[in-house]
Amino acid sequence: MAGEQEEGDSLGKRLAGDGLIGMSQVIPHVGSRLAAWWARTRASSMRLGGRAPWFGKGFGLRRTLSVALALFLLVYPLKLLLDWIDPLSLPSASKLQSERLSSQLAAPFYGNKQPRAQDHIAVVLIDQKTLEARGIAWPPRYDYYEEVLRRIVRQGPRAVYVDLLVTRKREFDDSLGDARLALGEDLEAHPVPVYFGTDKPGRPSLFHDVEGVSELVTVWQGVDYPLAVSPAQQLGALEGASDRCDAGRENWSVAYGLYHDACPQAGMAGCREPAALMAPAQACREIAVQWGQRRPAGNARLDELDGQHCLAASDPGFSRGASAVRWLWSGLAGKLVPRAAADPRVPCPYTLTVHEEQLDDPDVAALLHDRVVLVGADLVGLNDLAANPVNGQIPGVYVHAMALDNLMTWGRAHLSPVRHAWLASLLLALFTSLLLAVVLRHAEHLGVGLAAAGLAIAFGPILVMHFWLRHPPVDWIGSLVVFAWVVFHARDAILMPGAPALATDDAAPASAAIPVPPATPAPPVQPVPSAPGDLP
């Protein structure tokens, strides 16, 4: 019994400072208790033959888990505290940049598989050139809306949405009655669903009485894109308003309403699945919009009229990979290089764009056939601009078009915001702790290991969250910074403060760990002077 006790004490000395035990230098009270428990557990397990190599000779599973748990207990509470305090808004900025960079890296690869919804959505844009070509001012007369819609519905689109609030009658404009009658005749001859935007569920547009015309909610409060707008998300909602989701038709957002017209049944071109498969509960999930950068397909006539060369050309796989590398370099380099050389933002929107005056050309107008058409405006003073990670600021109508594209491409598997961010952060912290523990236990290759771990921490959450869990990634940049700080400041305490950094389960016996002072060299022998008469 005494021999077993002596063996356990020697093992405890050998393991002093490892993993949880090393935390005793960082967290004295908690660490000392955990250290004593871990030393006893290790001594018992090794007596019972519990030395299980893992990932290489002498790489003990228990010791690796000890280091991983030490890192986790140091980092996760610290990360939660920083997220709660949000000092200088740095954690919030880190979270936004994590989502932004992840979306940019995925943008070159979005929309490269069939069915491609991009080929069945178009935007008709009204800008300053349009007003000059038409010789009108803004806001236009009501009969102008009827004229635009007439030229669109004649091309046979799946649905048309007007991204303009036409809810208040202008007394000086007497064309409303004639515009309503003419629009009714147009839709009778060409039955196409037509929608106008509204800022509040149930508020009708001035064209509401026309057969075939209805409204979709176009504005709300919040960052992500809702499918059904709740009372708390409505524009101007008071604090304490109900956040209960009602998936009734009058609460549908623009993208969700158009999705039902774009994909009414299975087998529709550009649709992954029919919209009817979206259950009411699933309609209460928001969309985390993924933007694409692939140029749309058009025809030579549109490219000639537009002059910006925004239509699709050859798009080989290596170019998409090169675009992703440019996005990564832009995010890492920041302002270290000239903006023109590092900025990979795309000037052309993902959705096919036709300017309203270009509809006079029959070849261009024919591009609207079998597409969902969204009519929007890009005019100074309207303040209808939205920022996205790929294009920068563009007219707000493209947000609806991109959200619709996501629904048609992914259906119920669209990206949605993380509901339980703490759980995602917990899983990320566990993954990173174990990964760094593996790296730190191989200290002879520490530099290469830390670089590989950094890449895994950065790209692992992006791949898992995007392709498997279908969520935007959590704050992987902030987690990477916190872990780097802990590794470089607490590494000596977490590993073996009293021994070499690389300690394995096949360490030398306890007696070998006790330093033996070197022997004191003997003093040199002094020569004795020769006496007279001695032989030389």
Side-chain angles (χ1 to χ4, degrees):
M1 187 69 180
E4 292 182 0
Q5 180 67 33
E6 182 178 352
E7 181 184 358
D9 293 342
S10 65
L11 285 172
K13 292 178 181 178
R14 282 172 51 199
L15 297 171
D18 185 50
L20 292 176
I21 303 164
M23 284 183 62
S24 61
Q25 298 188 3
V26 183
I27 310 176
H29 302 292
V30 178
S32 60
R33 292 179 180 271
L34 293 173
W37 168 79
W38 187 254
R40 291 193 299 270
T41 303
R42 287 284 292 133
S44 301
S45 65
M46 293 186 70
R47 285 198 305 272
L48 297 175
R51 291 164 46 178
W54 188 40
F55 289 165
K57 181 179 178 182
F59 197 89
L61 172 61
R62 293 180 181 273
R63 186 171 293 183
T64 302
L65 295 179
S66 171
V67 174
L69 188 55
L71 285 167
F72 175 78
L73 293 179
L74 278 173
V75 173
Y76 185 61
L78 176 61
K79 185 66 170 61
L80 288 180
L81 181 63
L82 290 176
D83 290 342
W84 179 62
I85 299 177
D86 199 16
L88 302 177
S89 298
L90 292 179
S92 297
S94 175
K95 179 177 181 296
L96 291 176
Q97 183 61 16
S98 296
E99 295 183 1
R100 179 184 179 87
L101 184 55
S102 303
S103 181
Q104 290 171 340
L105 293 176
F109 306 99
Y110 177 80
N112 291 297
K113 294 182 178 181
Q114 298 291 349
R116 186 176 293 134
Q118 184 186 36
D119 297 335
H120 300 277
I121 305 174
V123 167
V124 173
L125 200 62
I126 302 171
D127 59 7
Q128 193 63 38
K129 291 182 179 179
T130 303
L131 300 183
E132 294 175 358
R134 298 297 182 199
I136 60 176
W138 193 264
R141 289 169 57 86
Y142 296 120
D143 53 9
Y144 173 74
Y145 299 120
E146 182 275 327
E147 178 188 351
V148 173
L149 289 172
R150 181 176 69 250
R151 291 194 292 167
I152 294 175
V153 298
R154 286 179 176 177
Q155 306 306 319
R158 297 187 187 182
V160 183
Y161 165 70
V162 181
D163 191 36
L164 298 168
L165 293 176
V166 189
T167 55
R168 297 182 180 180
K169 188 177 183 306
R170 299 188 296 270
E171 298 299 334
F172 58 86
D173 189 350
D174 58 358
S175 66
L176 180 58
D178 294 338
R180 286 173 174 171
L181 291 175
L183 182 57
E185 295 174 356
D186 298 335
L187 298 183
E188 184 177 0
H190 308 279
V192 174
V194 173
Y195 300 93
F196 281 82
T198 183
D199 56 353
K200 187 176 182 180
R203 177 173 293 175
S205 70
L206 296 180
F207 292 90
H208 178 77
D209 295 334
V210 178
E211 184 69 24
V213 175
S214 54
E215 290 77 34
L216 295 170
V217 183
T218 186
V219 291
W220 54 83
Q221 299 180 144
V223 177
D224 296 299
Y225 196 104
L227 299 182
V229 181
S230 67
Q233 293 174 316
Q234 295 178 16
L235 191 65
L238 299 177
E239 184 177 357
S242 173
D243 59 354
R244 181 177 177 273
C245 175
D246 181 4
R249 190 177 185 87
E250 69 174 10
N251 297 317
W252 287 1
S253 64
V254 173
Y256 190 52
L258 294 176
Y259 177 46
H260 285 76
D261 293 305
C263 306
Q265 58 189 13
M268 294 292 294
C271 298
R272 175 178 178 175
E273 60 187 23
L277 294 180
M278 186 85 70
Q282 293 171 322
C284 293
R285 292 188 306 154
E286 298 174 325
I287 303 177
V289 178
Q290 172 61 55
W291 292 81
Q293 72 174 53
R294 182 182 183 275
R295 296 184 178 187
N299 57 29
R301 180 57 178 161
L302 177 60
D303 200 31
E304 178 185 349
L305 292 174
D306 190 59
Q308 296 184 5
H309 306 291
C310 284
L311 300 184
S314 59
D315 188 24
F318 72 86
S319 68
R320 297 192 292 270
S323 296
V325 171
R326 289 190 64 198
W327 283 119
L328 181 61
W329 171 244
S330 175
L332 295 177
K335 297 183 179 180
L336 294 179
V337 294
R339 184 179 183 88
D343 190 0
R345 287 185 297 180
V346 181
C348 302
Y350 180 83
T351 307
L352 176 70
T353 301
V354 176
H355 289 79
E356 189 273 321
E357 71 275 13
Q358 295 172 349
L359 293 178
D360 295 335
D361 191 301
D363 293 336
V364 174
L367 291 172
L368 304 184
H369 177 70
D370 197 35
R371 293 179 185 258
V372 177
V373 180
L374 298 90
V375 182
D378 181 17
L379 297 170
V380 177
L382 285 186
N383 196 28
D384 185 19
L385 296 175
N388 72 76
V390 176
N391 309 109
Q393 282 196 336
I394 57 176
V397 66
Y398 289 103
V399 177
H400 303 303
M402 201 70 238
L404 172 61
D405 197 291
N406 284 189
L407 287 174
M408 295 174 65
T409 300
W410 288 323
R412 292 168 293 174
H414 65 79
L415 296 178
S416 59
V418 179
R419 291 183 177 270
H420 304 291
W422 66 270
L423 180 58
S425 299
L426 175 67
L427 296 177
L428 177 61
L430 288 172
F431 165 74
T432 311
S433 300
L434 182 59
L435 184 63
L436 289 180
V438 172
V439 172
L440 291 175
R441 302 300 292 162
H442 284 89
E444 71 273 17
H445 303 297
L446 188 60
V448 176
L450 287 177
L455 292 176
I457 295 171
F459 294 104
I462 296 177
L463 297 176
V464 172
M465 297 291 286
H466 187 95
F467 293 103
W468 182 31
L469 300 179
R470 307 301 296 157
H471 297 299
V474 292
D475 182 15
W476 55 269
I477 293 179
S479 299
L480 190 61
V481 171
V482 171
F483 270 99
W485 182 86
V486 170
V487 166
F488 286 104
H489 287 80
R491 172 174 173 267
D492 292 337
I494 293 175
L495 287 173
M496 300 271 294
L502 180 61
T504 67
D505 288 342
D506 297 332
S511 59
I514 301 175
V516 178
T520 304
V525 178
Q526 300 293 332
V528 180
S530 301
D534 289 346
L535 294 175

